[in-house]
Amino acid sequence: MKYFYGEFDGEEFPTQDKLFGFDNLMDFILQYGDQALKALQQMMENPKDDAQSELLEQLLKDGILDKDGKGRLRLTPRAIGRMQRKALIEVFANLKQGQREGHEKVTPGSGGERIEGTKAYEFGDPVSELDLHATLSNAMKRATEARRQEGTKGHSPSSDAFVPGSPNAAGRPRAKIDFSEKDFELHLHEGVTSCSTVVLLDMSGSMMRYGRFLSAKKVAMAMQALVRQSFPQDSIDFVGFYSGAAKIPEIALPLAMPKPVTIYDYQVRLKVPIDQLDKAPQHFTNLHMGLQMARRILRKRASENKQIFIITDGQPTAHVEGDNVLLLYPPDPRSTAATLKEAVLAVRENCRIATFALIEDYWGMDWVGFVDQLARLTKGLAFYTSSGELANCIMESYLSGRKKKAHIA
């Protein structure tokens, strides 16, 4: 049996009569992942009383839980959708007021909400968005200035005036207004721009502490709901990195958990073939492989903007070298160098990188130097935050692009 220790938050473990409300059940599954479903499976197969059995059967009828071909419990798409929406509500309930609600890009022409202001016409701009009032005003001002200059040169000002069709003093119709291309002004719009994001989730053993992975997982699910609800032109993918790295499907995200620590030696130096990596200890931090996978995903995206969010609580302790993966503890400069090189390659492919460093461990603060070095080399963003503030940092970065200090000069 494996034990995980963490700080007690003061909340009692949910008893049977409290567990089966939807919110409590979803929190239970998010916190314990596959182990929670296995516990529910055992309760279903060996119920202690009729009430317990009826409650589980009701969850099946309500479409919250389902069974696969082997009779094992699984979450339904309906349950996952509700979990995502609940996470989104929680996240936005805690966000500070005053942030923008999208990836804004001020442009002329159609495609978004019209905003205050105009711009001069440029070749290729849509003439359907001409601001007639500003354009007419420009033409009249230009005509007035031209007549004034004629008067200063000794020529009598022309009696032609500004309002087409109205008679002048001599009874003749006034001249029509001549428009120049320089007179044209267009309305400004809040243009729509697409964004592809890959979120790299640290699944190493230390992410179990202080509720770090639970907080990261809730933010990830909130982002899924946000993209589906408000930014359908965007794409978002999740990659978990540990001793290896793997893409996390949407349906599997609620059940994802950090890898348990299986080696406690004070020094580890392992070289494992990639095709045998699943047989090796899984609790190391292979951000190098995670970045490789993120680059492959983003190459397939056609979005105007591409970005990589890294959520981690420690520096790399693994990297790819040829056909092998090196698992190295304490952290080795070779893993750091390989990871930084991969990050620079991502930036050269026009990917923005933001790193969210979880720093509850005061004794482990020395590792943030790696995050600072990563921000310097990639000219990216670095957020040093606790698990409780992670949602604020990520959502503010995603929604508004608000610049934080990227590096220390």
Side-chain angles (χ1 to χ4, degrees), residues 20-32:
F20 294 99
F22 177 80
D23 289 350
N24 290 330
L25 177 63
M26 294 303 103
D27 287 341
F28 177 64
I29 292 174
L30 281 176
Q31 186 168 1
Y32 296 101

Side-chain angles (χ1 to χ4, degrees), residues 58-201:
Q58 188 63 43
L59 291 172
L60 291 170
K61 291 180 181 179
D62 292 342
I64 302 301
L65 297 175
D66 193 8
K67 292 183 178 181
D68 62 15
K70 298 182 179 180
R72 293 175 301 194
L73 287 178
R74 64 185 179 186
L75 290 173
T76 64
R78 180 183 179 186
I80 293 172
R82 288 181 62 180
M83 292 170 78
Q84 291 172 349
R85 291 190 293 273
K86 179 176 180 292
L88 183 63
I89 291 172
E90 288 181 2
V91 165
F92 272 91
N94 295 323
L95 283 182
K96 299 174 183 177
Q97 295 182 352
Q99 50 212 6
R100 297 180 292 178
E101 298 180 349
H103 326 294
E104 297 176 359
K105 178 175 131 182
V106 176
T107 59
S110 58
E113 294 294 328
R114 183 176 288 180
I115 62 177
E116 185 177 353
T118 61
K119 72 172 290 290
Y121 172 82
E122 296 178 11
F123 179 77
D125 288 340
V127 294
S128 59
E129 291 300 321
L130 279 177
D131 184 327
L132 295 180
H133 181 272
T135 300
L136 181 60
S137 177
N138 290 341
M140 294 172 67
K141 289 178 181 177
R142 183 174 53 81
T144 300
E145 180 63 21
R147 293 222 312 268
R148 186 186 65 79
Q149 291 179 359
E150 287 181 3
T152 59
K153 294 179 182 179
H155 302 289
S156 58
S158 169
S159 60
D160 295 339
F162 307 110
V163 184
S166 62
N168 59 13
R172 292 182 288 108
R174 298 179 185 269
K176 295 181 179 179
I177 298 177
D178 291 327
F179 288 93
S180 167
E181 182 178 307
K182 295 180 180 179
D183 300 327
F184 296 162
E185 288 200 35
L186 280 73
H187 293 289
L188 289 178
H189 285 256
E190 189 179 82
V192 177
T193 180
S194 59
C195 182
S196 291
T197 305
V198 174
V199 180
L200 295 179
L201 288 171

Side-chain angles (χ1 to χ4, degrees), residues 28 34-44 56 73:
F28 177 64
D34 277 324
Q35 295 299 320
L37 282 186
K38 289 178 181 178
L40 292 174
Q41 182 84 37
Q42 291 176 358
M43 292 170 63
M44 179 169 287
L56 288 167
L73 287 178

Side-chain angles (χ1 to χ4, degrees), residues 393-407:
C393 292
I394 288 185
M395 285 299 184
E396 287 179 7
S397 181
Y398 183 75
L399 290 175
S400 68
R402 182 165 62 86
K403 299 296 182 182
K404 296 254 182 189
K405 187 170 184 180
H407 60 273

Side-chain angles (χ1 to χ4, degrees), residues 186-394:
L186 280 73
H187 293 289
L188 289 178
H189 285 256
E190 189 179 82
V192 177
T193 180
S194 59
C195 182
S196 291
T197 305
V198 174
V199 180
L200 295 179
L201 288 171
D202 189 342
M203 295 176 65
S204 62
S206 58
M207 285 291 287
M208 183 66 73
R209 296 197 295 263
Y210 303 104
R212 290 169 177 163
F213 196 77
L214 177 61
S215 297
K217 191 159 53 171
K218 285 186 175 181
V219 176
M221 297 188 70
M223 292 181 73
Q224 286 177 325
L226 178 66
V227 168
R228 179 175 291 107
Q229 174 180 308
S230 302
F231 304 109
Q233 74 276 11
D234 286 6
S235 69
I236 187 165
D237 297 277
F238 295 90
V239 172
F241 62 96
Y242 36 96
S243 295
K247 188 174 179 181
I248 305 175
E250 180 176 0
I251 198 169
L253 183 58
L255 304 178
M257 294 293 288
K259 305 298 182 181
V261 177
T262 55
I263 295 181
Y264 298 93
D265 297 346
Y266 71 92
Q267 186 176 51
V268 179
R269 293 291 185 267
L270 293 177
K271 186 176 183 179
V272 185
I274 291 179
D275 57 2
Q276 298 180 29
L277 190 56
D278 58 336
K279 300 177 183 179
Q282 298 295 299
H283 58 270
F284 289 78
T285 307
N286 198 341
L287 178 55
H288 180 214
M289 186 178 283
L291 286 167
Q292 287 179 330
M293 189 165 292
R295 286 176 61 205
R296 288 197 293 270
I297 292 171
L298 290 174
R299 284 195 201 109
K300 300 176 182 178
R301 305 295 185 219
S303 302
E304 298 170 358
N305 302 302
K306 298 179 180 181
Q307 58 187 0
I308 298 173
F309 285 179
I310 303 169
I311 304 175
T312 185
D313 71 341
Q315 65 192 96
T317 54
H319 69 280
V320 181
E321 196 170 277
D323 294 329
N324 300 296
V325 170
L326 273 62
L327 307 177
L328 307 171
Y329 184 84
D332 190 281
R334 289 175 291 174
S335 295
T336 298
T339 304
L340 293 175
K341 180 179 179 180
E342 194 67 31
V344 170
L345 291 175
V347 172
R348 290 177 181 174
E349 295 177 3
N350 298 317
C351 298
R352 168 181 174 262
I353 294 180
T355 306
F356 303 86
L358 303 177
I359 55 173
E360 283 92 350
D361 288 329
Y362 179 79
W363 53 267
M365 285 290 289
D366 57 339
W367 74 268
V368 300
F370 164 75
V371 177
D372 179 56
Q373 193 175 6
L374 178 63
R376 286 176 183 271
L377 288 175
T378 62
K379 294 183 173 61
L381 304 178
F383 298 80
Y384 303 95
T385 181
S386 65
S387 300
E389 292 297 318
L390 179 64
N392 285 349
C393 292
I394 288 185

